[in-house]
Amino acid sequence: MVSVPDAAPVRRNRLTAWFRRSEAAQGYALMSPTLVVLVVGIAVPLLILIAMSMWTRDGFGFDMTPTFANYERAATEPIFGTLLTRSFFVSGLATFFTVLLCYPMAYYVAFHVHRNKMLWIVLMTLPFWTSYLLRVFAWRVILGYEGVINSAFLTAGWIEAPLEFLLYSQTAVIITLAHAWAAFAILPLYVSLEKIDKSLLEAATDLGDGPFTRFMRITLPLSMPGVISACFLIFIPTTGDYITPALLGGPDGVMIGNLIQLQFGPVNNWPMGSALSIVLMAWIAALALVFLFLTRKAKDQLA
Amino acid sequence: MDVIDQLNAVKTGKLSRRAFQKTLLGAGIGIMTTPFAASRAAAQDAQGTLFTWGGFDIPDLYTSYEAANGAPPDFAVFGGAEDALTRMRSGFVVDVAHPCHTDMVRWVQTGLFQPIDTSRLSNWGDVLPELVALESNEAENGMPWMVPFDWGGTSITYRTDLVEIEGEESWDILWDERYAGRIGMLASGGDAWWCAAIKAGVPFDQIATEMAFEKTSAALREQRPLVRVYTDDTTTLGQALSSGEMVAAMTWNSTAVELQAEEIPVRFAQPKEGALTWVCGLMMHKDAPNPDRAYDIIDSMLSVEAGEFMIGAYGYGHSNAKSFESFTDDELQGLGLSANPREILDAGQFSIPQEQEWESRMNETYELIKAGF
């Protein structure tokens, strides 16, 4: 809506009247701060990214004739596919282990803690008050050649020489990601477990379900929304993670995020970097849709 | 508004709501604006910014700058020159940047730099002329694009107790399968590619040919399974060498000198094929926000104190001829240096500036190889 300062009073009145009548206009006006942020912060950069992904590098500048050559390269050259698959593999495993390890914690607080629940939640998220980078560095100290694990094992006499696979490997990346993103799993899991109506559990027990069957038939299905959102919250950002593989991955732990960074850095091919980012986004969106579809189907079958 | 008066008012219970809110408002504005006042004061005192390699961000090199301006300059650190250039091309403005001669031509082509007025540098008279007279360094009226600062070599730092040397030292150490998984490499192509070219027997004046490209990348591919990590972080390489996690790594002079100072048995090899030698220097951004301080930074880096620190603590050559005077010939030789840089630069292999096209292709290929392709 553009207000015209010199407009005749009649017209201005009409405009106000229209604004009062139209619910949509009022809605947009209310949303406008958020809308501005969304447009400036997400939609415009995304459009720039899409436009740039169709350009070609030309020395220090860009050749702006639109072409799909970058996407062709992304589809045909083996490095891109391999790194993409590896990223999905690493971040999939990290997501799996994070959710697996965080579920019992969230479960305990939701069902067995009755006083000071908030304090427990705060305590569980306490390690995440430090910076992500610091946590990654801390894992370097733990997993390193002369690190905590290796020195402990050496002192205990369990190993002869330091374990080298601990650092600079995909294992190191998975371990670190699983720890670094734990807070993002605990909170949604806790919320969905906390919401479960305890009388359903009692009913199940009354009707003869043992603890295991009760968990499988009541608790787990009802906490599925939490599990799904935890999976999304971890899988999506870790697939493109840059700093963990850069610091802990070694030559075989490089992920797609590192490759994208390189395109904007030393390789100096911004259009290719943009194309890779778009491809990554498309893949994540596709995988997320499949995941959602499958869980919905499973839910329908349960119902 | 009188503070005492208000305290009395509170005591006697007569503080009006309006007076109380006024006090609150005053206190609120005071608290909110304090940080702005402080940052404005700090902004007036903004130091010059130096964009440099990791390891040069220590106050010891900037004693005269600190004496003149009250604090060391601000630092921004990069791991590779190509990375630095990309960041500046996308709008990162600094006062002074620290590229090497190989990069200089391409850096100048971006139009982001200005020639340096050497009459504003008090130490200019002592700068070794052969380091200034490098290819394409003259901008106009005898003003250079790059003021030389440090020079040295890229070679192998190896553990003398863990690596067996048969005959002469050679680049083969980094390609030796006995040390698989215990070899470190520099991640920036600006060093690694040229060293691999030496190993593959490619003469530097032919490095841009297709043949040379294939031979060099084949050498790097062959080496890749042996490499524990590719990094530009000299601390990571130094620590790995000192713990025995790595037995040999491609490094610059400083890693070996620093480890020797900790009495770790390492040597900075002088490979029979020749080490890679380089000269790096300082360039001034055309939009440098603090040009006066930029000259202060450059001048203090050219000073004898900075030079003695560079030679003594890092084992790098310096561009000030007087910096070498406090070292004996034996000491310099032990560091692989000489007061006459030509001697060293000619003995090693000096990398030649290349076109942007080649540089991008080289970096891309090296990244592919590092990732295993």
Side-chain angles (χ1 to χ4, degrees):
Chain A
M1 234 179 64
V2 186
S3 69
V4 187
D6 290 25
V10 184
R11 220 178 125 197
R12 188 173 294 166
N13 283 343
R14 246 188 239 155
L15 211 61
T16 346
W18 169 80
F19 184 72
R20 290 232 176 91
R21 255 182 292 120
S22 160
E23 280 184 19
Q26 287 176 13
Y28 280 115
L30 262 177
M31 278 198 322
S32 58
T34 326
L35 213 57
V36 168
V37 172
L38 273 178
V39 169
V40 174
I42 296 180
V44 172
L46 194 64
L47 288 178
I48 295 176
L49 205 63
I50 292 173
M52 190 182 270
S53 72
M54 303 204 188
W55 296 350
T56 322
R57 166 183 65 188
D58 185 14
F60 284 129
F62 303 114
D63 174 358
M64 296 196 195
T65 347
T67 155
F68 283 100
N70 291 324
Y71 291 98
E72 260 179 62
R73 273 190 66 196
T76 49
E77 287 180 27
I79 179 168
F80 304 116
T82 312
L83 287 194
L84 205 61
T85 331
R86 184 189 292 160
S87 303
F88 288 134
F89 172 73
V90 166
S91 113
L93 273 184
T95 311
F96 175 73
F97 284 117
T98 319
V99 174
L100 199 70
L101 291 173
C102 292
Y103 198 92
M105 291 201 258
Y107 185 90
Y108 182 78
V109 178
F111 288 111
H112 296 285
V113 175
H114 301 293
R115 295 173 56 202
N116 298 331
K117 279 196 182 198
M118 214 49 226
L119 184 73
W120 276 77
I121 292 287
V122 169
L123 281 179
M124 280 200 295
T125 51
L126 202 60
F128 307 99
W129 292 15
T130 54
S131 134
Y132 182 45
L133 190 63
L134 287 181
R135 271 175 278 146
V136 175
F137 264 107
W139 276 103
R140 258 174 91 113
V141 176
I142 296 171
L143 299 172
Y145 189 79
E146 284 185 320
V148 179
I149 296 182
N150 274 329
S151 346
F153 283 11
L154 276 176
T155 323
W158 292 345
I159 48 174
E160 298 280 303
L163 300 170
E164 289 186 358
F165 69 88
L166 282 178
L167 190 60
Y168 302 132
S169 64
Q170 291 180 22
T171 328
V173 178
I174 295 173
I175 294 176
T176 309
L177 286 178
H179 169 256
W181 291 87
F184 292 86
I186 291 177
L187 294 176
L189 285 173
Y190 167 76
V191 170
S192 69
L193 284 166
E194 174 67 23
K195 274 197 308 199
I196 294 176
D197 187 350
K198 308 285 186 294
S199 57
L200 290 173
L201 298 177
E202 285 163 17
T205 323
D206 286 347
L207 294 172
D209 269 351
F212 181 72
T213 347
R214 192 181 65 190
F215 174 78
M216 292 307 286
R217 291 176 67 179
I218 311 287
T219 318
L220 188 61
L222 286 177
S223 64
M224 261 342 245
V227 174
I228 293 169
S229 49
C231 286
F232 277 128
L233 275 176
I234 300 168
F235 184 75
I236 294 173
T238 52
T239 312
D241 195 81
Y242 159 72
I243 198 68
T244 309
L247 287 173
L248 299 159
D252 288 320
V254 182
M255 284 166 51
I256 193 83
N258 306 83
L259 194 66
I260 296 176
Q261 186 272 337
L262 288 171
Q263 305 294 330
F264 288 96
V267 175
N268 188 19
N269 192 347
W270 291 24
M272 191 66 217
S274 313
L276 285 176
S277 312
I278 303 268
V279 168
L280 177 63
M281 271 191 267
W283 267 105
I284 291 180
L287 283 178
L289 283 177
V290 169
F291 188 67
L292 260 187
F293 176 75
L294 287 179
T295 44
R296 185 156 299 170
K297 203 135 199 223
K299 215 170 157 191
D300 287 347
Q301 272 181 352
L302 273 173
Chain B
M1 255 202 294
D2 197 333
V3 178
I4 314 285
D5 191 14
Q6 289 206 30
L7 284 178
N8 269 331
V10 173
K11 272 181 200 153
T12 52
K14 279 182 189 160
L15 183 69
S16 74
R17 180 184 291 177
R18 183 168 292 175
F20 179 66
Q21 283 178 343
K22 261 188 192 165
T23 320
L24 271 185
L25 180 71
I29 290 177
I31 290 168
M32 288 301 290
T33 48
T34 313
F36 290 105
S39 71
R40 197 168 308 132
Q44 277 169 359
D45 222 348
Q47 300 296 340
T49 310
L50 172 65
F51 196 24
T52 184
W53 304 78
F56 294 98
D57 45 347
I58 38 164
D60 307 63
L61 294 170
Y62 312 94
T63 41
S64 76
Y65 179 93
E66 203 174 337
N69 297 297
D74 291 335
F75 300 109
V77 171
F78 56 79
E82 197 61 18
D83 230 2
L85 184 61
T86 326
R87 269 163 75 184
M88 285 189 286
R89 276 185 47 224
S90 53
F92 181 51
V93 177
V94 297
D95 290 301
V96 181
H98 184 178
C100 294
H101 175 242
T102 329
D103 313 307
M104 191 193 74
V105 180
R106 287 178 302 111
W107 284 42
V108 169
Q109 281 168 1
T110 61
L112 283 174
F113 299 91
Q114 55 175 303
I116 293 172
D117 180 1
T118 50
S119 62
R120 298 183 61 177
L121 301 170
S122 66
N123 291 310
W124 182 250
D126 300 323
V127 171
L128 292 157
E130 50 269 69
L131 295 180
V132 182
L134 294 171
E135 192 188 324
S136 338
N137 194 17
E138 186 170 329
E140 56 200 34
N141 308 328
M143 293 205 280
W145 287 110
M146 182 181 94
V147 168
F149 165 59
D150 54 335
W151 52 274
T154 307
S155 179
I156 310 151
T157 301
Y158 67 92
R159 287 279 296 257
T160 47
D161 53 339
L162 299 173
V163 172
E164 263 179 73
I165 302 284
E166 295 115 10
E168 276 182 282
E169 290 166 337
S170 144
W171 282 104
D172 293 340
I173 300 173
L174 291 181
W175 269 261
D176 193 328
E177 287 184 7
R178 284 176 297 172
Y179 311 121
R182 329 195 63 135
I183 283 167
M185 280 289 283
L186 287 172
S188 80
D191 289 285
W193 191 271
W194 293 89
C195 292
I198 300 177
K199 151 83 185 164
V202 172
F204 278 6
D205 51 1
Q206 290 169 29
I207 198 151
T209 62
E210 199 58 35
M211 256 280 268
F213 215 91
E214 270 163 33
K215 274 168 113 177
T216 312
S217 49
L220 285 167
R221 275 203 183 91
E222 180 195 336
Q223 184 205 29
R224 199 245 177 213
L226 313 176
V227 175
R228 174 123 173 100
V229 74
Y230 293 92
T231 178
D232 277 329
D233 181 18
T234 47
T235 318
T236 302
L237 292 174
Q239 283 174 352
L241 283 167
S242 79
S243 69
E245 181 179 6
M246 287 174 194
V247 296
M250 174 182 289
T251 68
W252 301 298
N253 312 44
S254 64
T255 308
V257 176
E258 284 172 324
L259 289 175
Q260 278 161 359
E262 291 170 35
E263 303 194 344
I264 290 157
V266 292
R267 234 184 88 77
F268 191 57
Q270 291 170 1
K272 60 175 186 229
E273 302 93 340
L276 176 72
T277 50
W278 41 259
V279 175
C280 300
L282 305 163
M283 289 174 81
M284 212 169 132
H285 199 283
K286 76 169 167 25
D287 302 319
N290 281 307
D292 295 336
R293 296 206 159 152
Y295 281 105
D296 282 352
I297 294 177
I298 298 173
D299 207 25
S300 94
M301 290 173 86
L302 293 181
S303 69
V304 175
E305 297 86 64
E308 284 172 354
F309 181 82
M310 285 288 285
I311 299 167
Y314 280 171
Y316 287 127
H318 190 244
S319 58
N320 190 323
K322 287 188 178 157
S323 305
F324 294 89
E325 285 170 6
S326 55
F327 297 89
T328 64
D329 279 349
D330 281 349
E331 277 174 325
L332 290 176
Q333 212 180 356
L335 295 167
L337 295 175
S338 155
N340 177 8
R342 265 288 140 218
E343 238 171 62
I344 301 294
L345 296 178
D346 287 344
Q349 303 221 34
F350 198 69
S351 48
I352 303 163
Q354 298 293 322
E355 293 294 315
Q356 181 62 36
E357 200 87 333
W358 182 88
E359 198 74 21
S360 292
R361 184 176 170 209
M362 179 273 281
N363 274 305
E364 197 159 1
T365 315
Y366 187 41
E367 296 305 337
L368 279 173
I369 293 169
K370 283 194 277 181
F373 293 87

